[in-house]
Amino acid sequence: MAGADRGPDWSARERPAGGPPRVIVIGAGLAGLATGCYAQMSGLETRIFEKHVLPGGCCTAWSRHGYLFDYCIDWLIGTAEGTGAHQVWRELGALDGKSVTHFDTFNRVVDEHGRSVTFHTDPDRLEAHLLALAPGDAAPIRAFCRDLRRFAAIDLPWDLTPPPLRTTRERLRTLRAVLPAFRLLWRTATTPMSGFAQRFQDPLLRRALPTMFLQEPAGFPLLPYLYTLAAAHTGNAGFPQGGSLGLARSVEERYTSLGGVIGYRCRVDRILVEDGRAVGVELRDGTRHFADHVVAACDGPTVLDRLLRGRYSSPATDRLYGELLDRPGNLYPAVVSAFVGVDGPLPPREPHCTTYLLAPEDAGRLPGSLQHSLVVQLRSAYAEGFAPPGKSVLHCTYFSDYRSWRELRVRDRRAYRARKQQVAEFVREFLDRTHPGLGARIELVDVASPVTTERFTGNTRGSILAWQAFSEAEDTANRLVNRDRMRLPGLSGFSMAGQWASLGGLIRAATSGRYAAQYLCRELGRPFRAWPSDNREPWHPGKWGHLPQLDRVTVGAAEPGAGE
């Protein structure tokens, strides 16, 4: 893949006369790669500096003894052709040559007594299932499924242009699409899911509905539940071949095919500023690289506090990274992941994903559990190449607090590793209880804590998705994108992209890179250009490239990986 020493020399302060404007992008996550792709398509010359050895940021995977542990994607919005989100992925080459797995079941929820509810993506099948399960709740069941059919029938546009740059034609097209569904959108956006769930008499449905998204995003209204379930039904929320790292590698391939250059193991130490203008970056090794514009597509607090030395901010960033950062409900919670390697097949006829609601005694044994639930995904049952022949892999996750993990790692590394061991032991015992005999076939358990996420991706608080929609942070993030145009006052030649400057989610991260390039083209007086990738080479495992082991791993029936 692209290396740190490839590409033209950018150590000179001035670029060659007549050459295209140069852009440095910090971070090779989806937002950084997208920024680079769109800038290259628009005739700019770009370089991306990435501290890690892989692209994708949190959209990643790693290898352990022949297993591939895919970290990010549960479902991907934009897999249906003809949608605006799909257009973004086509322009970025993200789905080139890939098949997409679609699920007729979004999730199953099982309570501590073994009673279960299955959230089918088909509204008719879901309604029949729920009515059979809880006939006394016929009224709210029919209301929910009726709204689900309405969401499946409307074609909500994906905003390909930031609001300040939209033409009158684009605005009218959005209005024509949204106005007929306005009452539906307004009503479901102002109805909290927690409140709606309380309308149900059945205790399982009251608890299960908010965890339809595997775990409960606090404060979410009905709208995103209906939108996402409808997207899964219409084929717009599938799982792409190659998974998370495969998605990142495809966009990386698109970027380099457009002439972009990526430097891996290139940690940016600071952004160089002269007379109120960003002019380049200085890497940790002391080398300096100069450009006409710098785009920071990485962790927001790190950009402002470390890379800019605390010298620049805005009312929006002050509120996001100061006031709202520690206020509950604004950041997506951190996640603990336990990847389980199994000798032999997975249990037959099981849904691809199940949320288990834990009894108090179980929840008390799961370190740092925030919601007393555990999600179990049968990853190798629907994704090829994730396990060696004859073996299987599961991905178990739960929302967890960041601070207790961080404090323990700082204070006592041995105790920190012991806590990860507790997670591994719980997962092994729990899987053996829910699927008798499975525990004896477990070959390894690899645990990634919120601190692991922070160490390898730089994401503050170990939050994978950063700012949560429908929170206090949403309006402020929208101001940063739309009113401030992803800029900071008093600092020219600089902009931000990614989920720390907008909202969480892969399609939003990719779209923020599109916005950053559009704003930059407008500033430079150059036309913004974008077109679909024409790469038709079928996806194959070789496209994952070299998969680092990252850290030493201890293998055993109940032992987690020792990587921190």
Side-chain angles (χ1 to χ4, degrees):
M1 296 298 169
D5 57 349
R6 294 181 58 188
D9 180 11
W10 285 20
S11 61
R13 178 65 184 83
E14 299 296 331
R15 59 181 164 90
R22 290 177 166 178
V23 180
I24 286 175
V25 180
I26 305 172
L30 262 294
L33 291 169
T35 302
C37 285
Y38 286 115
Q40 289 289 142
M41 282 188 269
S42 299
L44 308 180
E45 187 177 5
T46 68
R47 295 188 73 170
I48 298 176
F49 291 106
E50 168 58 48
K51 69 174 185 176
H52 197 17
V53 298
L54 295 173
C58 288
C59 189
T60 191
W62 60 92
S63 176
R64 297 282 194 228
H65 296 269
Y67 291 96
L68 183 71
F69 297 148
D70 189 80
Y71 186 60
C72 177
I73 297 176
D74 299 314
W75 64 87
L76 184 72
I77 294 294
T79 54
E81 294 185 8
T83 63
H86 188 74
Q87 179 178 330
V88 173
W89 294 132
R90 286 193 65 208
E91 291 168 349
L92 297 178
L95 303 177
D96 285 354
K98 296 178 180 178
S99 62
V100 176
T101 300
H102 298 288
F103 305 110
D104 57 11
T105 295
F106 195 81
N107 189 27
R108 178 182 65 171
V109 180
V110 179
D111 70 11
E112 59 270 41
H113 308 296
R115 192 161 176 252
S116 68
V117 55
T118 300
F119 290 100
H120 303 286
T121 60
D122 178 78
D124 296 338
R125 188 179 180 192
L126 175 63
E127 182 173 334
H129 171 66
L130 295 181
L131 288 172
L133 185 70
D137 286 317
I141 287 171
R142 289 196 171 99
F144 182 83
C145 293
R146 183 169 57 246
D147 282 345
L148 179 58
R149 293 185 187 94
R150 291 168 175 165
F151 267 89
I154 60 178
D155 182 19
L156 292 176
W158 188 259
D159 294 329
L160 298 173
T161 305
L165 302 186
R166 288 177 200 160
T167 63
T168 301
R169 183 178 180 180
E170 288 174 319
R171 295 176 189 274
L172 289 174
R173 185 166 57 242
T174 299
L175 281 174
R176 281 195 296 268
V178 170
L179 281 178
F182 177 78
R183 291 183 62 185
L184 173 67
L185 299 174
W186 180 85
R187 175 170 53 80
T188 56
T190 55
T191 302
M193 170 54 94
S194 57
F196 178 75
Q198 291 307 308
R199 301 180 190 176
F200 290 78
Q201 299 176 20
D202 186 275
L204 173 60
L205 291 187
R206 281 203 305 270
R207 298 171 64 192
L209 277 163
T211 60
M212 191 190 312
F213 274 175
L214 315 189
Q215 296 169 93
E216 180 182 358
F220 264 31
L222 268 175
L223 190 153
Y225 289 90
L226 292 162
Y227 172 84
T228 308
L229 197 59
H233 177 55
T234 59
N236 200 34
F239 188 89
Q241 187 180 15
S244 306
L245 182 58
L247 192 84
R249 285 296 197 195
S250 291
V251 182
E252 175 198 49
E253 183 178 3
R254 170 68 163 160
Y255 173 66
T256 55
S257 74
L258 291 165
V261 176
I262 306 178
Y264 290 111
R265 299 186 187 273
C266 292
R267 183 187 292 267
V268 174
D269 183 64
R270 66 183 177 118
I271 296 169
L272 302 174
V273 179
E274 295 178 3
D275 299 323
R277 182 175 186 84
V279 296
V281 298
E282 181 176 301
L283 304 185
R284 176 163 289 187
D285 63 8
T287 60
R288 292 186 170 192
H289 305 265
F290 294 93
D292 300 275
H293 197 92
V294 176
V295 179
C298 50
D299 178 71
T302 299
V303 172
L304 269 64
D305 296 340
R306 184 171 66 81
L307 302 188
L308 289 172
R309 304 298 197 256
R311 294 170 55 194
Y312 298 94
S313 67
S314 69
T317 58
D318 287 343
R319 179 166 166 77
L320 284 174
Y321 308 143
E323 180 181 348
L324 299 180
L325 189 63
D326 291 317
R327 190 176 295 177
N330 289 308
L331 276 187
Y332 275 96
V335 172
V336 170
S337 287
F339 291 96
V340 183
V342 177
D343 184 19
L346 293 172
R349 296 180 297 280
E350 284 280 295
H352 77 283
C353 182
T354 299
T355 297
Y356 292 94
L357 305 177
L358 302 178
E361 56 269 25
D362 276 337
R365 295 173 51 225
L366 195 55
S369 174
L370 293 181
Q371 294 190 353
H372 295 182
S373 62
L374 181 71
V375 178
V376 178
Q377 295 175 303
L378 310 184
R379 282 297 178 115
S380 57
Y382 58 89
E384 60 184 10
F386 284 5
K391 301 182 186 295
S392 307
V393 63
L394 299 90
H395 186 197
C396 303
T397 59
Y398 64 93
F399 282 162
S400 182
D401 70 301
Y402 161 81
R403 293 188 185 279
S404 65
W405 287 98
R406 178 63 181 174
E407 290 168 0
L408 191 61
R409 187 177 186 275
V410 171
R411 185 179 70 251
D412 188 340
R413 294 284 184 90
R414 181 174 295 180
Y416 169 78
R417 287 190 288 269
R419 197 184 203 205
K420 295 179 73 175
Q421 177 75 31
Q422 291 174 13
V423 174
E425 290 173 351
F426 177 91
V427 166
R428 178 181 181 274
E429 293 172 8
F430 185 82
L431 291 175
D432 193 57
R433 193 192 320 162
T434 54
H435 302 91
L438 182 63
R441 295 193 286 117
I442 292 177
E443 294 187 323
L444 63 88
V445 182
D446 192 82
V447 178
S449 79
V451 179
T452 311
T453 302
E454 186 178 55
R455 288 182 61 233
F456 286 104
T457 70
N459 276 17
T460 294
R461 309 285 194 273
S463 176
I464 298 174
L465 293 174
W467 302 118
Q468 186 168 288
F470 306 101
S471 69
E472 289 181 282
E474 181 172 12
D475 287 342
T476 308
N478 286 337
R479 173 182 174 174
L480 180 58
V481 172
N482 300 330
R483 179 176 171 180
D484 298 347
R485 301 194 177 201
M486 308 165 88
R487 305 291 202 269
L488 298 176
L491 180 62
S492 59
F494 172 82
S495 56
M496 303 174 70
Q499 57 192 21
W500 289 95
S502 55
L503 296 174
L506 291 177
I507 185 58
R508 286 195 179 103
T511 304
S512 79
R514 200 178 200 273
Y515 287 4
Q518 287 171 305
Y519 281 134
L520 182 54
C521 287
R522 177 63 63 91
E523 179 181 304
L524 296 174
R526 301 178 69 94
F528 172 80
R529 294 191 176 94
W531 61 87
S533 168
D534 60 1
N535 181 6
R536 296 295 178 264
E537 181 187 0
W539 168 264
H540 55 84
K543 286 181 174 286
W544 273 318
H546 174 67
L547 294 170
Q549 299 290 317
L550 298 186
D551 285 307
R552 178 178 60 87
V553 64
T554 302
V555 180
E559 296 176 352
E564 299 177 4

